[in-house]
Amino acid sequence: MSDLLVLDHLTTRIDTARGSLVPVDDVSLRVPAGSAVGLVGESGSGKSMTAFSIVRLFPTTAARVQSGRVFLDGQDLMTLDEAALRRVRGRRVGMVFQDPSTYLDPVLTVGEQVAEAWAMHFGWEGAWERAVEALGQVGLPEPAETARRFPHELSGGMRQRAIIAQAIVCRPQLLIADEPTTALDVTIQAQILDLLRQLRAQMGMTLLLITHDLGVVAEMCEIVAVMYAGRIVEVGPAQPVFLSPRHPYTQGLLASAVSVQQAQVITRVMEGSVPDLRHPPAGCRFHPRCPHVMPTCRTEVPPMFACEGQTAACWLHDPAVVAREGRP
């Protein structure tokens, strides 16, 4: 299976009055065509900024891609100017955001906003009809009538479906869904996840799903990438990662969450929190929280080690380091 999306040593920097930080630090990731890949981690890990970096659509003007490359179907998006990149956004890459009220214009009808997404790439002829079709595709009732309604007239779940319609109206190759169910109640969350699964199957889209919810990733994705403090720390097929995590951070996430295999809460809690990225720890960024920390972890950044189909950035997988320093 070929890769539709490839992140190659991607680094994003934010310069603020309080100092600079790097929320995406040397991130490499492959997303095979037709797959569903989950990017998971705690809040502040850099997941959303990774998504924004792919199409250089940042929530702040202080952010910029500092280095690295992003390939979409073999084309390096980092070489495109803003005009060329606008032709990619929406048409080849659709994005679903976690708070629809932020991204829906309150003074335009839902249909106008979905139609506008189509018209930006294909012109206004037929745009309204395509918008109504897309609203029907995402399961909104009476789509022709719903298209004439304003965002405030819709429920939270309906607004999220409208955002998804806006993202898929141009039938993109890649759909990036950034915490698409966070603001919804449990019943509506399940409906939105089912919708994303159906749309992916019907349209042949590739899905990059960004979430902190391990259960969602286990249900939706074939591949999982775990992110911590701006860096990818583990990647692999979802089932092996959940059954046999290779990085201590992944192990901690699973131990402190609802079990993927059993309907019960695991009582262990991972101590500490994601570090301030203005002053990240040296070496492995997880070492201040890691129960297996060794001296090398505090000074040297671990590479990605192959671990029976998975990869993990942890010195525990270097036999020479373990033999020299001893596993605690």
Side-chain angles (χ1 to χ4, degrees):
M1 187 184 296
S2 61
D3 295 319
L4 176 65
L5 178 69
V6 177
L7 310 186
D8 181 29
H9 299 287
L10 183 65
T11 298
T12 295
R13 187 181 192 88
I14 302 177
D15 295 311
T16 72
R18 298 176 58 197
S20 297
L21 62 150
V22 180
V24 181
D25 190 356
D26 196 31
V27 166
S28 294
L29 180 65
R30 294 179 177 273
V31 179
S35 69
V37 175
L39 184 58
V40 66
E42 295 168 281
S43 296
S45 292
K47 307 183 301 298
S48 294
M49 286 303 296
T50 299
F52 292 130
S53 299
I54 291 170
V55 290
R56 304 206 306 271
L57 187 64
F58 295 110
T60 170
T61 57
R64 59 185 173 86
V65 173
Q66 180 173 287
S67 60
R69 298 181 294 177
V70 175
F71 294 96
L72 179 67
D73 205 12
Q75 181 182 28
D76 186 358
L77 301 185
M78 294 300 108
T79 66
L80 302 183
D81 60 21
E82 182 60 27
L85 200 54
R86 280 198 297 270
R87 292 193 288 271
V88 171
R89 299 175 189 140
R91 181 171 183 175
R92 297 176 62 196
V93 180
M95 293 193 71
V96 177
F97 301 99
Q98 59 181 294
D99 184 2
S101 61
T102 302
Y103 295 95
L104 287 174
D105 191 325
V107 302
L108 296 177
T109 66
V110 167
E112 287 173 325
Q113 295 181 65
V114 177
E116 184 178 32
W118 171 271
M120 286 178 62
H121 300 287
F122 303 107
W124 282 102
E125 185 176 354
W128 182 262
E129 291 76 13
R130 177 61 191 130
V132 172
E133 180 186 353
L135 291 170
Q137 279 183 286
V138 300
L140 283 168
E142 301 180 349
E145 289 299 318
T146 301
R148 294 181 172 84
R149 298 169 67 180
F150 291 90
H152 74 270
E153 298 178 284
L154 305 182
S155 67
M158 293 175 73
R159 286 195 294 269
Q160 188 65 297
R161 288 176 186 268
I163 282 286
I164 295 172
Q166 196 174 39
I168 61 99
V169 66
C170 294
R171 303 182 179 95
Q173 296 168 282
L174 173 67
L175 182 66
I176 301 175
D178 182 16
E179 300 277 11
T181 62
T182 295
L184 307 174
D185 66 45
V186 174
T187 302
I188 304 300
Q189 285 182 22
Q191 293 174 4
I192 295 298
L193 293 175
D194 283 341
L195 172 63
L196 290 175
R197 190 184 295 108
Q198 293 165 14
L199 289 172
R200 180 189 160 211
Q202 292 168 4
M203 304 176 69
M205 289 187 302
T206 301
L207 175 65
L208 178 59
L209 178 63
I210 294 166
T211 180
H212 65 277
D213 191 323
L214 296 166
V216 168
V217 173
E219 180 183 349
M220 294 285 294
C221 301
E222 295 94 42
I223 299 169
V224 58
V226 182
M227 195 166 189
Y228 182 77
R231 294 176 179 164
I232 300 287
V233 296
E234 183 165 359
V235 180
Q239 187 174 19
V241 168
F242 284 118
L243 292 177
S244 183
R246 302 295 183 169
H247 195 282
Y249 177 60
T250 312
Q251 295 166 7
L253 280 180
L254 288 166
S256 58
V258 173
S259 173
V260 177
Q261 289 79 38
Q262 303 174 30
Q264 64 183 38
V265 175
I266 306 298
T267 55
R268 281 180 54 196
V269 176
M270 186 163 47
E271 296 182 359
S273 58
V274 177
D276 183 344
L277 291 180
R278 289 187 296 269
H279 309 287
C284 173
R285 292 185 174 175
F286 187 61
H287 84 253
R289 304 172 69 185
C290 183
H292 308 296
V293 64
M294 298 180 292
T296 295
C297 306
R298 296 185 172 93
T299 58
E300 301 294 330
V301 177
M304 295 293 279
F305 293 96
C307 309
E308 299 179 2
Q310 297 155 239
T311 56
C314 179
W315 287 115
L316 289 173
H317 300 294
D318 187 329
V321 170
V322 173
R324 183 180 70 242
E325 301 185 3
R327 181 170 178 171

